[in-house]
Amino acid sequence: MSLWRYRDRLPVEPLVTLNEGDTPLIPAPRLSERTGAEVWLKFEGANPTGSFKDRGMTVAVSAAVREGAQAVICASTGNTAASAAAYAARAGLRGAVIVPEGNIATGKLAQALMHDARVVALRGNFDEALRLVRELVERHPISLVNSVNEFRIDGQKTAAFEVCDGLGEAPDALFIPVGNAGNITSWHRGFEEYEDAIPRLLGFQAEGAAPLVHGRAVARPETVASAIRIGNPARGEEAMEAIASSRGSIRAVSDQEILAAYRLLAAKEGVFCEPASAASVAGLLKYGAEGRVVCVLTGHGLKDPTAALDQARSVIPCEPSLAAVEEVVMG
Ligand SMILES: *Cc1c(COP(=O)(O)O)cnc(C)c1O
């Protein structure tokens, strides 16, 4: 099974696919107990390259192949780069990714490089990278696969179909991290097309990168959650309309709150996501919820091993004797 079971609602044939989508919808008993709501986790880290970006990429790269593009390019905080690189490799196209220098998580970088993309480290931030690739594709037969690409939005809307099919109906609320605001726009489109009640869309940005919360661009976005370290969201306006029409909201969570949710998910629910993904659960814990709610966990924890090792307990050195092992294991 893959998201291509919704082929009749997608704009292209599956020319380039790694069987993305159909990700686990996991009940969260500990979070439910804490909040009094019925909490579910949509674990998008289970996609082929470890983030929801694959849903959009299979559709966008299929369209690029149909249109005869010679290469695909994106600006990325990491996961779009990893995904674009994989789908370009699969399609036999050149892949090029522009990432902000020094700001990309190790796992994502390893993926982009292993998939043989040209990885360009820009001495600038994400917003500058996006501006440059937009200019580049005006001049060359290259397909831009950032979420400004409509095919990405269409692919990513399938997550909403899966949730509605999984629960039997739309949930009461959806908690979701927001960076460039493409994904919240996609979920909204998905719920609309599913033609059930649209849940309240509750988007969360990191305090140091919260342009939609403050109503203005942030020149130097800063947060531990690198996947949402974006100061000028490409789909900000659309996202704000979607949020308003669902009677939802966009709010900020601190890095501390994000990291607390990140640790709790791994240690108490057994679900390991990357820091940006935990912004949804940080929002749930901070602002509360009622009824049946879904938190979107956008990417896998293994994407950012540095963040994990920084947050977790240390390994325990031990002498090779039964007594010593007994003490550290049972003590
Ligand atoms: C891309 C990404 C986001 C943000 O999605 P937008 O569509 O940019 O709002 C959140 N979390 C992870 C892990 C991502 O890769």
Side-chain angles (χ1 to χ4, degrees), residues 171-182:
D172 297 309
L174 185 84
F175 288 71
I176 183 169
V178 175
N180 233 343

Side-chain angles (χ1 to χ4, degrees), residues 51-53 79 177-183 227-228 230 274 276-277 298-299:
S51 85
F52 74 84
K53 301 297 197 300
N79 280 331
V178 175
N180 233 343
N183 206 30
I228 52 172
I230 288 172
E274 65 172 282
S277 308
T298 45

Side-chain angles (χ1 to χ4, degrees), residues 3 5 21 58 148 162 176 194 202 228 240 248 273 283 297 313:
L3 62 79
R5 76 188 214 253
T58 179
V148 293
E162 288 176 14
I176 183 169
Y194 200 85
L202 305 172
I228 52 172
M240 292 311 287
C273 65
L297 299 182
R313 279 181 210 256

Side-chain angles (χ1 to χ4, degrees), residues 30 126 129 171 186 231 270 298:
R30 308 283 150 57
F126 172 81
S186 308
T298 45

